[in-house]
Structures are given as C-alpha cells and as structure tokens.
Amino acid sequence: MNRFEGHGSGEAKIRYLDADFQVISPGSHVRCAVTGEIIPLDELKYWSVARQEAYVDVNASVTADERAGILPTQQ
C-alpha cells in the first residue's frame, strides 16, 4: 500500500484501486462506509473499488456487498 506522507490528523481523501490505494488529500484516517468507525490509514485493509468506500473489517465489507445487491442477504 502507499505510504502515508504528511502530517494531517483529519480524514484523508483516498482513491481506492485494485490491491492498493492513493492518498488524494492528506489525513490520518478514513471512515467505514457501513459503521462510521475511524480506520487509521496504516490499518486499512478492506475497500470497494467500484463504490470507492472503505470498510473497518470483512464483516462490514460483506454487509456493503449485500446492500449493493452483489451478495444475497444473510438470514
């Protein structure tokens, strides 16, 4: 992944790519699109290239895919 350069302490603006991401605007973190939790950039592992969203963990990623209709809803 890209090394974060800069000393921003707010939310970063990110372009999510396949297996990587690009910092567009400096910051220390992004927010999970499902839970709203803060994700430090050095811990960011899950995102959607198509939706340009970050997820705090695999469960949030699956929830986002279910909401988008990519996966059937778990019952």
Side-chain angles (χ1 to χ4, degrees), residues 15-72:
R15 179 179 306 146
Y16 299 101
L17 309 169
D18 290 329
D20 203 359
F21 61 87
Q22 178 182 21
V23 177
I24 303 299
S25 187
S28 63
H29 64 275
V30 292
R31 289 201 177 264
C32 176
V34 173
T35 67
E37 291 179 60
I38 289 176
I39 309 164
L41 289 186
D42 61 347
E43 295 178 20
L44 179 59
K45 296 180 180 96
Y46 304 96
W47 61 80
S48 168
V49 174
R51 292 186 298 277
Q52 291 293 293
E53 296 177 335
Y55 309 112
V56 69
D57 58 23
V58 70
N59 294 327
S61 177
V62 169
T63 298
D65 284 347
E66 289 171 347
R67 290 179 183 175
I70 294 169
L71 296 173

